[in-house]
Amino acid sequence: MEAMREPLPATIRITGYKSHAKEILHCLKNKYFKEIQEVEIDGQKIEAPQPLSWYPDELAWHTNMSRKILRKSPLLEKFHQFLVSETESGNISRQEAVSMIPPLLMKIEPHHKILDMCAAPGSKTAQLIEMLHSDMDVPFPEGFVIANDVDNKRCYLLVHQAKRLNSPCIMVVNHDASCIPRLQIDTEDGHKGTLFYDRILCDVPCSGDGTMRKNIDVWKKWTTSNSLHLHGLQIRIAVRGVEQLAVGGRMVYSTCSLNPIEDEAVIATLLEKSEGALELADASADLPGLKWMPGVTKWKLMTKEGQWYKDWSEVPANRHTQIRPTMFPPTDTEKLANMKLERCMRILPHHQNTGGFFVAVLVKKAPMPWNRRFPKVHTHVHAWKEQSSSSVPQPEDSPVGTPLPETEVGGGREECVCSDSVLCSRPPPNKKMKRHGFKEDPFVFLTEDDPVFPPIESFYDLSPDFPKINVLTRTHEGKKRHLYMVSKELRNVMLNNSERMKVINTGVKVWSRNSDGEEFGCAFRLAQEGIYTLFPYIRSRMITVSVEDIKILLTQENPYLSKLEEDAHQQAKKIGMGSIVLKFRPDNSNPDGPQCPIELCGWRGKTSIRAFVPRNERFHYLRMLGVEVFRDKQGQGPREEEKEVKEEVGEGETENGNKDGSAKQELKEVKIEVTST
């Protein structure tokens, strides 16, 4: 409790793919963390951030510095701006330490099909995507992540998080996780089959009592009834998860609560109903350095009024709707011992200065017994109790978890009151899927002979193995404004489930329409978001640039071609006007230079050249090149260095070679100070 009353340390995780993450780590350790060690505020030395001992490759750090302290010293102000800017461009994620644990226990490989059942706001989803792309040379891993959330608005938060990673292997969908539809796919032998996931993350809605160090509200609003209300929903979500898990697959169940009713009680129910199809995996050796307590095997239950019950037999009949038998520990001692509940992991706040957390790893050994027993809907007679005139569509073969009181998760539920309530199925699903929230534009796949392809293929000299069928657009009629790409496997899922699934977003943008480009032979310019996906297929319009060239391109809006070093200048002169790729390759003989490849989208004008890179990404790449980037505080005049930059910008030209003042304006708004280190 003492630890719970202390504020939570800030934790950051370095995101992005391997070589880039290493580069950011190098920048943090060798520059910002070193400077921080020298800083004193009010006579106190600042404690430098420390790596989380259990997170691989030093890619997660924690610090006791408060936001107030971060803003006090000019040196810390630079560190603060670095954090803000890199967070905006998705290279650093402000993520609570314990929330980083579940993805690490999933043991993800690039070919895995992954479902994240309750994914918003998306920091764990981002970890899953990174793990899929562990080999940066493979633009389309065979696996994918389907990230789901029941809340339409929170789905857009998820899109924002996932988009920063520019992956063609992520799809965001909007469903109630407890009845997420079973998806169909074309199998390799040409038949239709059910999609079973290799890995499932089941991070369920919970009372959040482990988060009270950062969510102050929990102190005021917490009651014991929170857990009683959520227990049934948690079981239903977990049951739906294990049903869709492939035999041999792993499902990680987690909550940010330490209440056994939301934790071990749910796991024990799953294990009991599975009749040996599931078992708890021993994850004790998976995260060396992490301190945790084993799962509990005994617990009591307390009502809102403060009444304790040890066993279901003690619960009076008038409480049977709120309190269910599944909330208590199994009474059969042999059965309890075989469950090995001690393999669950409880992370307590005072052990490593974190939030409270619970996580359990389940492995599926065989199909679930109700799927074996009732391949179709089983038809014993039900006494269905209507709770509301509107009904929620349910999957055919989903066993219902514990019946819930009417008010728990809103109206629209039907509750089964037959004796076999865990194995019975709900009434047939509604014919039409109800859609709530913003109506999304359609996702339309292009055919291989679409007239949009020939000019693109010849302009960029795309290699013959470029997968045209993976390209999609968001409109049926009119001109295509943007072209997106998904992996072959996600395309398979989308084409087979358009009526079953409510897709919020998928695909990485690879080309955008540019009317100026038409006169140069191609109406589509490359999009920076999709350059890592497209790059392996592009065989022309490429300029290899040096560190100095990139500095020029990122600090000046439209530099003349002559500003480039001789090698790049000669390459640029041979290329016609239009969209280009600027390619940097690490020089192994120069350990101080960036050690990761960089590809930037650009535009070759008549006499000038420019990089099409969003502002925060510009800052990111400049930092990687050893250039100090520091935004002036609002309201203060520009610095000397900045004036020089602006004067140079004025010399440049627009895409079509015309003089233009808008470039000046853009830099004026950014207010950057550039000093080479």
Side-chain angles (χ1 to χ4, degrees), residues 638-669:
R639 309 263 170 110
E640 281 307 307
E641 294 93 328
E642 191 191 328
K643 284 181 189 166
E644 285 164 30
V645 170
K646 276 201 236 155
E647 279 156 21
E648 286 177 348
V649 168
E651 297 172 7
E653 297 172 293
T654 58
E655 288 162 13
N656 294 316
N658 308 320
K659 291 273 181 190
D660 180 40
S662 64
K664 283 189 194 177
Q665 188 56 35
E666 201 171 313
L667 260 170
K668 203 171 192 175
E669 287 163 15

mmCIF file of all heavy atoms in Angstrom, residues 638-669:
data_model
loop_
_atom_site.group_PDB
_atom_site.id
_atom_site.type_symbol
_atom_site.label_atom_id
_atom_site.label_comp_id
_atom_site.label_asym_id
_atom_site.label_seq_id
_atom_site.Cartn_x
_atom_site.Cartn_y
_atom_site.Cartn_z
ATOM 1 N N PRO A 638 13.216 34.017 -33.445
ATOM 2 C CA PRO A 638 14.043 32.943 -33.991
ATOM 3 C C PRO A 638 15.505 33.112 -33.600
ATOM 4 O O PRO A 638 15.965 34.220 -33.385
ATOM 5 C CB PRO A 638 13.860 33.092 -35.505
ATOM 6 C CG PRO A 638 13.390 34.480 -35.710
ATOM 7 C CD PRO A 638 12.660 34.888 -34.477
ATOM 8 N N ARG A 639 16.220 32.013 -33.498
ATOM 9 C CA ARG A 639 17.643 32.046 -33.162
ATOM 10 C C ARG A 639 18.468 32.399 -34.407
ATOM 11 O O ARG A 639 18.000 32.279 -35.525
ATOM 12 C CB ARG A 639 18.072 30.665 -32.661
ATOM 13 C CG ARG A 639 17.186 30.104 -31.564
ATOM 14 C CD ARG A 639 17.797 30.361 -30.201
ATOM 15 N NE ARG A 639 16.836 30.035 -29.157
ATOM 16 C CZ ARG A 639 16.972 29.002 -28.350
ATOM 17 N NH1 ARG A 639 17.982 28.177 -28.505
ATOM 18 N NH2 ARG A 639 16.110 28.794 -27.395
ATOM 19 N N GLU A 640 19.728 32.736 -34.196
ATOM 20 C CA GLU A 640 20.603 33.108 -35.316
ATOM 21 C C GLU A 640 20.702 31.989 -36.349
ATOM 22 O O GLU A 640 20.581 32.203 -37.538
ATOM 23 C CB GLU A 640 22.013 33.437 -34.789
ATOM 24 C CG GLU A 640 22.132 34.831 -34.180
ATOM 25 C CD GLU A 640 21.630 35.934 -35.108
ATOM 26 O OE1 GLU A 640 22.079 35.999 -36.261
ATOM 27 O OE2 GLU A 640 20.751 36.722 -34.692
ATOM 28 N N GLU A 641 20.933 30.764 -35.850
ATOM 29 C CA GLU A 641 21.105 29.645 -36.777
ATOM 30 C C GLU A 641 19.872 29.496 -37.652
ATOM 31 O O GLU A 641 19.934 29.168 -38.812
ATOM 32 C CB GLU A 641 21.318 28.341 -35.995
ATOM 33 C CG GLU A 641 22.597 28.291 -35.203
ATOM 34 C CD GLU A 641 22.386 28.772 -33.779
ATOM 35 O OE1 GLU A 641 21.531 29.659 -33.584
ATOM 36 O OE2 GLU A 641 23.094 28.282 -32.884
ATOM 37 N N GLU A 642 18.723 29.762 -37.035
ATOM 38 C CA GLU A 642 17.461 29.558 -37.738
ATOM 39 C C GLU A 642 17.331 30.546 -38.892
ATOM 40 O O GLU A 642 16.856 30.217 -39.970
ATOM 41 C CB GLU A 642 16.345 29.765 -36.722
ATOM 42 C CG GLU A 642 14.991 29.358 -37.187
ATOM 43 C CD GLU A 642 13.963 29.863 -36.217
ATOM 44 O OE1 GLU A 642 14.254 29.947 -35.012
ATOM 45 O OE2 GLU A 642 12.901 30.213 -36.690
ATOM 46 N N LYS A 643 17.797 31.815 -38.648
ATOM 47 C CA LYS A 643 17.719 32.830 -39.706
ATOM 48 C C LYS A 643 18.490 32.366 -40.933
ATOM 49 O O LYS A 643 18.032 32.478 -42.054
ATOM 50 C CB LYS A 643 18.286 34.156 -39.198
ATOM 51 C CG LYS A 643 17.340 34.897 -38.252
ATOM 52 C CD LYS A 643 17.981 36.203 -37.818
ATOM 53 C CE LYS A 643 17.166 36.867 -36.717
ATOM 54 N NZ LYS A 643 17.919 37.935 -36.077
ATOM 55 N N GLU A 644 19.688 31.795 -40.679
ATOM 56 C CA GLU A 644 20.503 31.332 -41.805
ATOM 57 C C GLU A 644 19.761 30.262 -42.593
ATOM 58 O O GLU A 644 19.728 30.279 -43.807
ATOM 59 C CB GLU A 644 21.824 30.747 -41.292
ATOM 60 C CG GLU A 644 22.803 31.816 -40.845
ATOM 61 C CD GLU A 644 23.922 31.219 -40.001
ATOM 62 O OE1 GLU A 644 24.258 30.048 -40.241
ATOM 63 O OE2 GLU A 644 24.449 31.927 -39.124
ATOM 64 N N VAL A 645 19.149 29.353 -41.859
ATOM 65 C CA VAL A 645 18.413 28.280 -42.530
ATOM 66 C C VAL A 645 17.327 28.877 -43.399
ATOM 67 O O VAL A 645 17.134 28.501 -44.551
ATOM 68 C CB VAL A 645 17.796 27.310 -41.487
ATOM 69 C CG1 VAL A 645 16.838 26.359 -42.165
ATOM 70 C CG2 VAL A 645 18.901 26.536 -40.788
ATOM 71 N N LYS A 646 16.613 29.885 -42.855
ATOM 72 C CA LYS A 646 15.490 30.452 -43.611
ATOM 73 C C LYS A 646 15.964 31.172 -44.868
ATOM 74 O O LYS A 646 15.318 31.122 -45.895
ATOM 75 C CB LYS A 646 14.709 31.416 -42.719
ATOM 76 C CG LYS A 646 13.697 30.693 -41.866
ATOM 77 C CD LYS A 646 12.638 31.650 -41.422
ATOM 78 C CE LYS A 646 12.556 31.623 -39.928
ATOM 79 N NZ LYS A 646 12.045 32.799 -39.360
ATOM 80 N N GLU A 647 17.114 31.874 -44.748
ATOM 81 C CA GLU A 647 17.619 32.562 -45.936
ATOM 82 C C GLU A 647 17.928 31.564 -47.039
ATOM 83 O O GLU A 647 17.619 31.772 -48.199
ATOM 84 C CB GLU A 647 18.871 33.375 -45.567
ATOM 85 C CG GLU A 647 18.494 34.714 -44.921
ATOM 86 C CD GLU A 647 19.607 35.257 -44.038
ATOM 87 O OE1 GLU A 647 20.763 34.842 -44.233
ATOM 88 O OE2 GLU A 647 19.317 36.087 -43.158
ATOM 89 N N GLU A 648 18.521 30.434 -46.653
ATOM 90 C CA GLU A 648 18.833 29.413 -47.651
ATOM 91 C C GLU A 648 17.564 28.857 -48.264
ATOM 92 O O GLU A 648 17.482 28.579 -49.439
ATOM 93 C CB GLU A 648 19.632 28.276 -47.000
ATOM 94 C CG GLU A 648 21.059 28.690 -46.720
ATOM 95 C CD GLU A 648 21.830 27.607 -46.004
ATOM 96 O OE1 GLU A 648 21.202 26.658 -45.531
ATOM 97 O OE2 GLU A 648 23.047 27.717 -45.919
ATOM 98 N N VAL A 649 16.547 28.695 -47.438
ATOM 99 C CA VAL A 649 15.284 28.158 -47.928
ATOM 100 C C VAL A 649 14.707 29.055 -49.012
ATOM 101 O O VAL A 649 14.174 28.610 -50.011
ATOM 102 C CB VAL A 649 14.270 28.029 -46.756
ATOM 103 C CG1 VAL A 649 12.890 27.747 -47.291
ATOM 104 C CG2 VAL A 649 14.716 26.932 -45.826
ATOM 105 N N GLY A 650 14.864 30.356 -48.819
ATOM 106 C CA GLY A 650 14.307 31.304 -49.782
ATOM 107 C C GLY A 650 14.850 31.113 -51.187
ATOM 108 O O GLY A 650 14.208 31.461 -52.172
ATOM 109 N N GLU A 651 16.062 30.542 -51.290
ATOM 110 C CA GLU A 651 16.637 30.348 -52.621
ATOM 111 C C GLU A 651 15.932 29.242 -53.400
ATOM 112 O O GLU A 651 16.039 29.154 -54.598
ATOM 113 C CB GLU A 651 18.110 29.919 -52.495
ATOM 114 C CG GLU A 651 18.992 30.946 -51.835
ATOM 115 C CD GLU A 651 20.369 30.350 -51.569
ATOM 116 O OE1 GLU A 651 20.627 29.221 -52.017
ATOM 117 O OE2 GLU A 651 21.181 31.019 -50.922
ATOM 118 N N GLY A 652 15.274 28.347 -52.698
ATOM 119 C CA GLY A 652 14.752 27.139 -53.348
ATOM 120 C C GLY A 652 13.568 27.400 -54.249
ATOM 121 O O GLY A 652 13.130 28.515 -54.462
ATOM 122 N N GLU A 653 13.041 26.299 -54.792
ATOM 123 C CA GLU A 653 11.920 26.395 -55.708
ATOM 124 C C GLU A 653 10.868 25.366 -55.332
ATOM 125 O O GLU A 653 11.127 24.461 -54.553
ATOM 126 C CB GLU A 653 12.403 26.089 -57.129
ATOM 127 C CG GLU A 653 13.427 27.078 -57.628
ATOM 128 C CD GLU A 653 13.996 26.595 -58.952
ATOM 129 O OE1 GLU A 653 14.689 25.580 -58.982
ATOM 130 O OE2 GLU A 653 13.707 27.241 -59.948
ATOM 131 N N THR A 654 9.698 25.511 -55.906
ATOM 132 C CA THR A 654 8.636 24.523 -55.680
ATOM 133 C C THR A 654 8.878 23.325 -56.580
ATOM 134 O O THR A 654 9.789 23.311 -57.393
ATOM 135 C CB THR A 654 7.261 25.112 -56.037
ATOM 136 O OG1 THR A 654 7.336 25.522 -57.403
ATOM 137 C CG2 THR A 654 6.904 26.274 -55.173
ATOM 138 N N GLU A 655 7.966 22.344 -56.477
ATOM 139 C CA GLU A 655 8.110 21.112 -57.257
ATOM 140 C C GLU A 655 8.286 21.386 -58.747
ATOM 141 O O GLU A 655 9.005 20.715 -59.442
ATOM 142 C CB GLU A 655 6.858 20.240 -57.081
ATOM 143 C CG GLU A 655 6.784 19.626 -55.709
ATOM 144 C CD GLU A 655 5.401 19.150 -55.367
ATOM 145 O OE1 GLU A 655 4.566 19.076 -56.279
ATOM 146 O OE2 GLU A 655 5.146 18.862 -54.197
ATOM 147 N N ASN A 656 7.571 22.388 -59.253
ATOM 148 C CA ASN A 656 7.618 22.636 -60.695
ATOM 149 C C ASN A 656 8.668 23.675 -61.084
ATOM 150 O O ASN A 656 8.674 24.168 -62.201
ATOM 151 C CB ASN A 656 6.245 23.097 -61.188
ATOM 152 C CG ASN A 656 5.237 21.984 -61.049
ATOM 153 O OD1 ASN A 656 5.555 20.849 -61.381
ATOM 154 N ND2 ASN A 656 4.067 22.289 -60.546
ATOM 155 N N GLY A 657 9.499 24.044 -60.101
ATOM 156 C CA GLY A 657 10.587 24.954 -60.442
ATOM 157 C C GLY A 657 10.246 26.417 -60.252
ATOM 158 O O GLY A 657 11.039 27.286 -60.555
ATOM 159 N N ASN A 658 9.055 26.753 -59.729
ATOM 160 C CA ASN A 658 8.708 28.168 -59.523
ATOM 161 C C ASN A 658 9.215 28.626 -58.166
ATOM 162 O O ASN A 658 9.245 27.872 -57.219
ATOM 163 C CB ASN A 658 7.180 28.356 -59.539
ATOM 164 C CG ASN A 658 6.577 27.745 -60.774
ATOM 165 O OD1 ASN A 658 7.152 27.851 -61.839
ATOM 166 N ND2 ASN A 658 5.442 27.080 -60.611
ATOM 167 N N LYS A 659 9.561 29.911 -58.103
ATOM 168 C CA LYS A 659 9.953 30.484 -56.807
ATOM 169 C C LYS A 659 8.729 30.459 -55.902
ATOM 170 O O LYS A 659 7.611 30.658 -56.357
ATOM 171 C CB LYS A 659 10.418 31.935 -56.995
ATOM 172 C CG LYS A 659 11.738 32.047 -57.738
ATOM 173 C CD LYS A 659 12.884 31.952 -56.770
ATOM 174 C CE LYS A 659 14.211 32.094 -57.491
ATOM 175 N NZ LYS A 659 15.331 31.784 -56.633
ATOM 176 N N ASP A 660 8.963 30.236 -54.596
ATOM 177 C CA ASP A 660 7.800 30.102 -53.723
ATOM 178 C C ASP A 660 8.158 30.518 -52.306
ATOM 179 O O ASP A 660 9.203 30.165 -51.796
ATOM 180 C CB ASP A 660 7.359 28.629 -53.731
ATOM 181 C CG ASP A 660 6.161 28.402 -52.853
ATOM 182 O OD1 ASP A 660 5.278 29.260 -52.875
ATOM 183 O OD2 ASP A 660 6.124 27.372 -52.166
ATOM 184 N N GLY A 661 7.269 31.278 -51.691
ATOM 185 C CA GLY A 661 7.512 31.735 -50.321
ATOM 186 C C GLY A 661 6.919 30.816 -49.279
ATOM 187 O O GLY A 661 7.172 30.971 -48.092
ATOM 188 N N SER A 662 6.098 29.839 -49.698
ATOM 189 C CA SER A 662 5.415 29.005 -48.709
ATOM 190 C C SER A 662 6.404 28.144 -47.929
ATOM 191 O O SER A 662 6.188 27.797 -46.788
ATOM 192 C CB SER A 662 4.384 28.099 -49.374
ATOM 193 O OG SER A 662 5.035 27.203 -50.238
ATOM 194 N N ALA A 663 7.518 27.810 -48.583
ATOM 195 C CA ALA A 663 8.529 27.013 -47.891
ATOM 196 C C ALA A 663 9.055 27.774 -46.677
ATOM 197 O O ALA A 663 9.262 27.212 -45.613
ATOM 198 C CB ALA A 663 9.665 26.691 -48.842
ATOM 199 N N LYS A 664 9.260 29.104 -46.868
ATOM 200 C CA LYS A 664 9.728 29.927 -45.755
ATOM 201 C C LYS A 664 8.735 29.837 -44.600
ATOM 202 O O LYS A 664 9.091 29.642 -43.461
ATOM 203 C CB LYS A 664 9.795 31.403 -46.184
ATOM 204 C CG LYS A 664 10.975 31.762 -47.038
ATOM 205 C CD LYS A 664 10.996 33.273 -47.159
ATOM 206 C CE LYS A 664 11.915 33.745 -48.255
ATOM 207 N NZ LYS A 664 11.866 35.191 -48.404
ATOM 208 N N GLN A 665 7.467 29.990 -44.982
ATOM 209 C CA GLN A 665 6.406 29.998 -43.985
ATOM 210 C C GLN A 665 6.429 28.699 -43.167
ATOM 211 O O GLN A 665 6.327 28.705 -41.958
ATOM 212 C CB GLN A 665 5.049 30.147 -44.692
ATOM 213 C CG GLN A 665 3.870 30.361 -43.745
ATOM 214 C CD GLN A 665 4.052 31.562 -42.833
ATOM 215 O OE1 GLN A 665 4.627 32.555 -43.225
ATOM 216 N NE2 GLN A 665 3.621 31.445 -41.590
ATOM 217 N N GLU A 666 6.603 27.581 -43.887
ATOM 218 C CA GLU A 666 6.582 26.278 -43.222
ATOM 219 C C GLU A 666 7.669 26.203 -42.158
ATOM 220 O O GLU A 666 7.446 25.781 -41.048
ATOM 221 C CB GLU A 666 6.792 25.179 -44.265
ATOM 222 C CG GLU A 666 6.301 23.840 -43.798
ATOM 223 C CD GLU A 666 6.318 22.839 -44.934
ATOM 224 O OE1 GLU A 666 5.854 23.165 -46.031
ATOM 225 O OE2 GLU A 666 6.815 21.736 -44.696
ATOM 226 N N LEU A 667 8.868 26.682 -42.517
ATOM 227 C CA LEU A 667 9.957 26.611 -41.545
ATOM 228 C C LEU A 667 9.759 27.589 -40.401
ATOM 229 O O LEU A 667 10.146 27.346 -39.280
ATOM 230 C CB LEU A 667 11.292 26.883 -42.235
ATOM 231 C CG LEU A 667 12.071 25.611 -42.552
ATOM 232 C CD1 LEU A 667 13.239 25.923 -43.424
ATOM 233 C CD2 LEU A 667 12.536 24.921 -41.291
ATOM 234 N N LYS A 668 9.089 28.717 -40.724
ATOM 235 C CA LYS A 668 8.827 29.715 -39.698
ATOM 236 C C LYS A 668 7.986 29.097 -38.585
ATOM 237 O O LYS A 668 8.210 29.290 -37.405
ATOM 238 C CB LYS A 668 8.084 30.888 -40.333
ATOM 239 C CG LYS A 668 8.220 32.189 -39.563
ATOM 240 C CD LYS A 668 7.631 33.310 -40.398
ATOM 241 C CE LYS A 668 7.992 34.664 -39.832
ATOM 242 N NZ LYS A 668 7.519 35.742 -40.696
ATOM 243 N N GLU A 669 6.999 28.299 -39.019
ATOM 244 C CA GLU A 669 6.120 27.667 -38.038
ATOM 245 C C GLU A 669 6.878 26.637 -37.206
ATOM 246 O O GLU A 669 6.635 26.448 -36.038
ATOM 247 C CB GLU A 669 4.948 26.980 -38.754
ATOM 248 C CG GLU A 669 3.936 27.985 -39.287
ATOM 249 C CD GLU A 669 3.015 27.360 -40.324
ATOM 250 O OE1 GLU A 669 2.976 26.129 -40.408
ATOM 251 O OE2 GLU A 669 2.354 28.116 -41.043
#
